[in-house]
Amino acid sequence: MMMSHSRGHRAPPGRIAYVGGRYIAHGEASVHIEDRGLQFADSVYEVCAVQGGRVMDEAPHLVRLERSLSELGISMPMVPDALKIVLREVARRNYLRDGFLYLQVTRGEATRDHAATDAMHPLLIVTAKRIDPKAIEKRRAAGVAVVTTPENRWGRCDIKSTALLPNVLAKTDAKKRGAYEAWFVDANGFVTEGSSTNAWIVTADGHAVTRALHDNILPGVTRSVALRAAADVAIEERAFSLEEAYTAREAFLTSATGGVMPVITIDGRKVGEGKPGPVAARLQALYRDLSQKESMA
Ligand code: PDD
């Protein structure tokens, strides 16, 4: 990997992280070499968007965090209200108005043994990343490309685990091929989801289609808020094939990092007219309004 091993120079000065109870300079922040997150990917994570200083969709992100942890038998590192305070404090110390908060909970540090025990103490890590919100809006206006890749991930994609190697490989390949995202396609030719986004298409009669949650996908928070917000957009929660996606009227992605993001090509083929479509735009507006209403200042 093209990764640097030296510490301290990756972050701009002044960036602050939270690790295991301490707010610390980003370049100094570290975990133990026997942290189970490092050794086994025995950890879960969340990414929340921050817009104008507000943590967007925070409540459902924390609900999913609790669920992911409980599925793995890792205890919450602190109660949700305390977690919210840490998130705000990391945002505040980083002067974060627009960007993302990344939070990871590992099962903690222990002498290496595959078997986990109840005695382990979870470790909480929070980092902040600034972004230029105009860059996302520019991308939304232009739409993005996706390429497809065989679904090779494990059978519990519903857990937001950090075992992301297939996702990392898929996204790296997508970037190399000039695309923004990769869509996993299962053995039956059905699209499951993106490497870090949920996948949607729009049928000829204008229905927005996205795979059902029981079908081994990550229960996207943006997906669920968009579904609740959908109002006049008709929804079908069902699997769709790659063939159907190729001939769809529109396609789009959802995630905390991009909201509703139009897809204009799949594997180099134009979707519809090859430009962002009205259903994606409508759902983005509905999603944004509901998300803003429900996300506390
Ligand atoms: N990824 N599917 C996968 C595999 C994901 O990793 C994500 C989120 C989503 C969308 O979920 P949400 O709407 O809750 O962001 C779907 C985050 C953004 C990431 O890994 O950066």
Side-chain angles (χ1 to χ4, degrees):
M1 293 290 287
M2 313 143 290
M3 241 168 238
S4 164
H5 294 280
S6 63
R7 284 194 186 165
H9 70 275
R10 271 169 288 170
R15 224 177 140 193
I16 300 291
Y18 175 94
V19 187
R22 292 200 301 153
Y23 297 93
I24 182 167
H26 191 277
E28 305 299 319
S30 58
V31 298
H32 193 270
I33 52 168
E34 285 199 308
D35 186 277
R36 292 181 61 92
L38 181 62
Q39 291 196 325
F40 296 114
D42 192 1
S43 66
V44 302
Y45 77 107
E46 285 294 332
V47 178
C48 296
V50 176
Q51 288 171 10
R54 276 201 286 176
V55 184
M56 309 307 291
D57 305 327
E58 182 182 44
H61 278 287
L62 292 185
V63 166
R64 186 174 62 188
L65 175 73
E66 277 202 81
R67 181 184 176 277
S68 295
L69 287 170
S70 95
E71 287 292 302
L72 297 182
I74 302 176
S75 53
M76 277 282 275
M78 57 185 73
V79 295
D81 280 349
L83 235 164
K84 286 182 193 169
I85 291 169
V86 172
L87 290 175
R88 266 164 200 60
E89 189 59 19
V90 171
R92 190 185 72 77
R93 289 184 188 231
N94 285 280
Y95 304 99
L96 186 67
R97 276 195 63 73
D98 294 293
F100 306 109
L101 287 167
Y102 173 82
L103 87 91
Q104 184 173 352
V105 179
T106 82
R107 200 185 299 270
E109 176 194 328
T111 305
R112 190 169 187 280
D113 180 342
H114 283 72
T117 71
D118 290 342
M120 294 172 179
H121 298 291
L123 178 78
L124 172 64
I125 299 163
V126 182
T127 57
K129 178 180 176 180
R130 270 189 232 171
I131 51 123
D132 175 6
K134 284 195 225 93
I136 294 181
E137 289 316 317
K138 222 172 128 188
R139 179 173 284 146
R140 193 187 321 287
V144 298
V146 302
V147 292
T148 53
T149 188
E151 176 63 76
N152 63 350
R153 299 174 300 161
W154 70 320
R156 292 302 306 271
C157 296
D158 60 309
I159 297 173
K160 197 158 170 56
S161 118
T162 49
L164 289 172
L165 186 57
N167 309 55
V168 165
L169 296 178
K171 183 85 95 187
T172 306
D173 182 54
K175 287 267 147 75
K176 273 196 201 135
R177 292 160 68 189
Y180 173 77
E181 178 61 302
W183 276 4
F184 290 107
V185 179
D186 70 16
N188 299 318
F190 287 88
V191 173
T192 55
E193 62 181 321
S195 74
S196 65
T197 58
N198 288 113
W200 300 64
I201 57 167
V202 177
T203 61
D205 45 8
H207 294 194
V209 183
T210 193
R211 195 172 171 99
L213 290 187
H214 61 75
D215 240 354
N216 197 28
I217 57 165
L218 197 271
V221 165
T222 314
R223 174 190 179 284
S224 73
V225 177
L227 285 175
R228 281 195 290 113
D232 54 341
V233 178
I235 300 288
E236 294 177 29
E237 279 186 81
R238 61 163 174 85
F240 58 86
S241 69
L242 182 55
E243 280 312 311
E244 190 179 0
Y246 283 153
T247 55
R249 188 190 277 186
E250 290 180 40
F252 57 93
L253 320 168
T254 54
S255 69
T257 42
V260 177
M261 183 62 68
V263 168
I264 53 171
T265 66
I266 303 173
D267 291 334
R269 307 177 192 208
K270 273 188 193 170
V271 181
E273 288 163 20
K275 52 182 206 226
V279 175
R282 173 77 182 139
L283 205 56
Q284 162 64 14
L286 292 166
Y287 162 71
R288 188 202 49 218
D289 288 353
L290 184 60
S291 174
Q292 285 183 350
K293 203 173 107 198
E294 292 183 346
S295 304
M296 309 254 272

